[in-house]
Amino acid sequence: MTNIKAKFLGGMVGSALGDAIGELAFRYPKKESLYIQLDRLEELRYTDDSAMSIGLAESIIKKGCLDQQDLGETFRYNYEREPWRGYASGPPTIFSMVEQLSITYADAARNLFGGTGSFGNGAAMRIVPVGLFFHNAPDLYEKACMSASVTHAHPVGMDGAAVQARAVSLAVKLDPREEFPRKVFIDTLIDFAITPKMEEKMQLVQKLLSSDTTPSFAAEQLGRTVDVHESLPFALYSFLCHPKSYEDCLFCATLNGGDRDTLGAMACAISGAYLGIESIPQSWRQKLENRSHIEDLALKLSEIRPF
Ligand SMILES: [Mg+2]
């Protein structure tokens, strides 16, 4: 397997497993009890995070690019088939607005929250296909915003998604056999962010990494809610604390409270894209729900990528 294929597979499968195991951690919030479940369960089931990553990958593959209307339609089709995946209220509200008012998905998304749009973490949680497919694109920020604004129109919602896409793109390009360039990585993300809210939080990530602190303290300082500036920074922190271990990154992201499935999906997308598919425990990979479809999407993305 080529390096790039292993990384695309690592990003897609890694994110879905972070989501599935993070969801499980709501019920089993201690490592010991979580391990028992990971052994016991025959299938690891993902939530809306991965359902939407899958939709994003499907749409990119179908169109060969980002097409907002097709992306909205794909999200809606997948939601209607599996509405029980744990979606927040945003997507179904947008879908019914599109239906009733005959407007675009992006216009509907702009109408949410009294016209400010959402700054939830829903655009960042699903963005791994964009970070993989466009990892060399000079306009990655714009591509990320295009994929985000179908549901998340607030500048912070889009900025968070763009930072996560950039983190995945950096992870794809770095060689895991070399020393991990932590400072360059975080500095690049701070530069990439546009909104003061995201920028300040990323600076706090950097400060917490260089001080001797516990993950639970970092999680409290950074936040771990469904707002993107209150959870993406801790997902990044989890990866940056454990760049050489998928498993340690996952447990850090999902065992410190908050929006566990999405923290897992975001942190593990970066970890998988950096370390590659082989870094993910095989017993977990084998149990991932819908694994062959997710792997197939990852491989197709790697084959048709533009650069
Ligand atoms: Mg979820």
Side-chain angles (χ1 to χ4, degrees), residues 19 23 26 46-50 85-88 125 259 261-262 265:
D19 171 18
E23 183 69 11
F26 280 106
Y46 57 80
T47 76
D48 58 324
D49 305 50
S50 305
R85 287 264 180 210
Y87 285 85
M125 74 185 186
D259 192 9
D261 54 322
T262 297

Side-chain angles (χ1 to χ4, degrees), residues 235-258:
L236 288 167
Y237 172 92
S238 302
F239 168 68
L240 293 167
C241 276
H242 306 284
K244 296 293 181 183
S245 164
Y246 175 85
E247 217 169 310
D248 291 345
C249 167
L250 184 148
F251 288 129
C252 182
T254 58
L255 294 180
N256 285 288

Side-chain angles (χ1 to χ4, degrees), residues 177-197:
R177 293 166 301 186
E178 288 169 11
E179 195 181 337
F180 180 71
R182 192 163 85 175
K183 188 170 178 342
V184 175
F185 197 98
I186 186 79
D187 283 345
T188 306
L189 297 183
I190 293 170
D191 280 351
F192 201 67
I194 284 180
T195 62
K197 264 198 168 121

Side-chain angles (χ1 to χ4, degrees), residues 41-108:
L41 289 172
E42 283 179 12
E43 188 178 58
L44 297 171
R45 310 197 75 177
Y46 57 80
T47 76
D48 58 324
D49 305 50
S50 305
M52 294 190 91
S53 287
I54 289 169
L56 187 41
E58 288 170 342
S59 179
I60 292 174
I61 291 163
K62 180 175 156 200
K63 290 287 174 180
C65 63
L66 272 174
D67 175 324
Q68 283 195 310
Q69 203 58 18
D70 183 75
L71 182 56
E73 299 291 344
T74 308
F75 285 156
R76 180 167 148 194
Y77 176 78
N78 288 348
Y79 168 78
E80 283 167 358
R81 275 183 18 207
E82 303 178 331
W84 40 264
R85 287 264 180 210
Y87 285 85
S89 62
T93 308
I94 290 166
F95 304 151
S96 52
M97 275 165 45
V98 168
E99 175 87 30
Q100 286 164 17
L101 306 172
S102 299
I103 56 176
T104 65
Y105 290 88
D107 281 340

